[in-house]
């Protein structure tokens, strides 16, 4: 032992409220995407009731395979066959319209509708927010803050969006692939609420799978609470608000005008390569 090191501060440690909100927003988006992707991957693994779901999960790691399955799910989101698969995997039913006798008919109906809405919401956001999630996950490529944007009369704007936000770079295609700066506003309370509902359905999925694959005893199923889900996705408008106009993100292209032609070309090449990955 060489010696003793002491670390102390004369000033008490205080947490800045705004910094805490920004940190919470960062964690909320990462946690939601972790939960949503887990839900989707396990759903795909059990969709066809394979003899070894583990192998299906491993297969989804092949380049582009998971993205392809998510796209197929979104394209067939209104199919009745999807309701049957959801009811089977999460609720243990043979079909979506074959409710257990012990379950109230309205609770079952709302549970099926809510389950589809929750799964499709996960699919949409996992794909559409890929750049946001990757930036938040890697940390250094996203800038947290309290961004704001308003439109209309300064005294009474048509919309006035402000709050915890993440700003990051991504590529968008206009006449060609180009870099843009995007700011997304994070509703941490809603994302945490969705994570809770996802965790509840993962518990259902595991319980049903244990019965089918391991011969476990019967389990208690918790159908999605449709009203609670709707509050997280579409919070009620207060009397003070009167209406709500939400802007989840705002994108502006990076200005290339002051760059030499060869430098603009290199940026375009990197944008194209970034999108191809």
């Amino acid at each position: 032992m060489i010696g003793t090191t002491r670390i102390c501060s004369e000033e008490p440690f205080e947490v800045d409220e705004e910094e805490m909100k920004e940190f919470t927003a960062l964690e909320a988006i990462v946690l939601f995407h972790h939960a949503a992707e887990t839900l989707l991957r396990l759903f795909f693994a059990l969709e066809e009731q394979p003899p070894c779901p583990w192998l299906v999960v491993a297969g989804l790691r092949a380049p582009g395979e998971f993205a392809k399955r998510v796209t197929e799910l979104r394209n067939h989101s209104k199919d009745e066959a999807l309701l049957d698969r959801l009811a089977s995997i999460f609720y243990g039913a043979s079909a979506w319209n074959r409710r257990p006798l012990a379950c109230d008919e309205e609770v079952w109906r709302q549970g099926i509708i809510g389950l589809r809405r929750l799964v499709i919401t996960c699919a949409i956001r996992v794909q559409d927010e890929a750049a946001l999630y990757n930036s938040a996950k890697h940390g250094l490529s996203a800038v947290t803050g309290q961004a704001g944007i308003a439109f209309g009369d300064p005294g009474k704007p048509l919309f006035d969006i402000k709050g915890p936000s993440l700003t990051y770079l991504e590529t968008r295609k206009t006449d060609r692939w180009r870099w843009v700066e995007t700011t997304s506003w994070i509703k941490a309370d809603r994302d945490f609420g969705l994570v809770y509902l996802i965790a509840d359905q993962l518990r259902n999925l595991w319980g049903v799978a244990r019965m089918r694959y391991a011969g476990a005893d019967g389990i208690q199923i918790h159908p999605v609470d449709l009203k609670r889900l709707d509050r997280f996705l579409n919070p009620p408008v207060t009397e003070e608000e009167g209406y709500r106009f939400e802007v989840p993100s705002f994108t502006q292209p990076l200005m290339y005008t002051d760059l030499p032609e060869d430098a603009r070309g290199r940026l375009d090449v990197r944008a194209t390569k970034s999108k191809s990955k």
Side-chain angles (χ1 to χ4, degrees), residues 30-162:
V30 172
L31 184 58
F32 169 79
H33 277 263
H34 281 174
E37 188 169 326
T38 299
L39 184 80
L40 293 173
R41 287 182 181 273
L42 291 180
F43 170 65
F44 295 148
L46 296 166
E47 199 169 14
E48 305 298 333
Q49 297 188 20
C52 184
W54 193 0
L55 293 176
V56 182
V57 171
L60 290 172
R61 296 175 60 191
E65 183 62 26
F66 176 67
K68 183 181 76 174
R69 295 291 296 272
V70 174
T71 299
E72 291 174 352
L73 176 61
R74 293 179 65 174
N75 289 341
H76 297 280
S77 61
K78 301 297 184 181
D79 293 358
E80 186 170 330
L82 174 61
L83 293 179
D84 287 335
R85 296 197 298 275
L86 291 172
S88 173
I89 293 170
F90 290 94
Y91 297 162
S94 58
W96 74 268
N97 54 2
R98 299 291 297 276
R99 66 179 175 86
L101 295 178
C103 184
D104 177 78
E105 183 175 353
E106 184 60 18
V107 171
W108 179 259
R109 187 190 70 82
Q110 292 195 16
I112 292 293
I113 295 173
L115 179 59
R116 174 168 62 181
R117 187 177 300 176
L118 179 63
V119 171
I120 297 303
T121 295
C122 290
I124 292 172
R125 290 188 57 182
V126 161
Q127 279 196 328
D128 294 356
E129 296 179 357
L132 168 62
Y133 168 56
N134 286 327
S135 296
K137 178 175 63 175
H138 295 300
L140 294 178
S141 59
V143 179
T144 60
Q146 297 281 332
I149 181 173
F151 178 79
D153 186 340
K156 192 176 181 181
L158 176 63
F159 65 82
D160 184 5
I161 310 299
K162 55 189 174 185

Side-chain angles (χ1 to χ4, degrees), residues 206-219:
W206 277 110
V208 172
R210 288 191 186 98
M211 286 196 302
R212 287 184 174 148
Y213 288 92
D217 294 334
I219 61 166

Side-chain angles (χ1 to χ4, degrees), residues 167-186:
T167 299
Y168 52 95
L169 297 181
E170 61 176 332
T171 54
R172 293 283 178 90
K173 189 172 185 180
T174 51
D175 55 328
R176 62 188 187 276
W177 288 108
R178 298 193 61 175
W179 290 100
V180 298
E181 179 186 277
T182 298
T183 296
S184 293
W185 285 270
I186 311 301

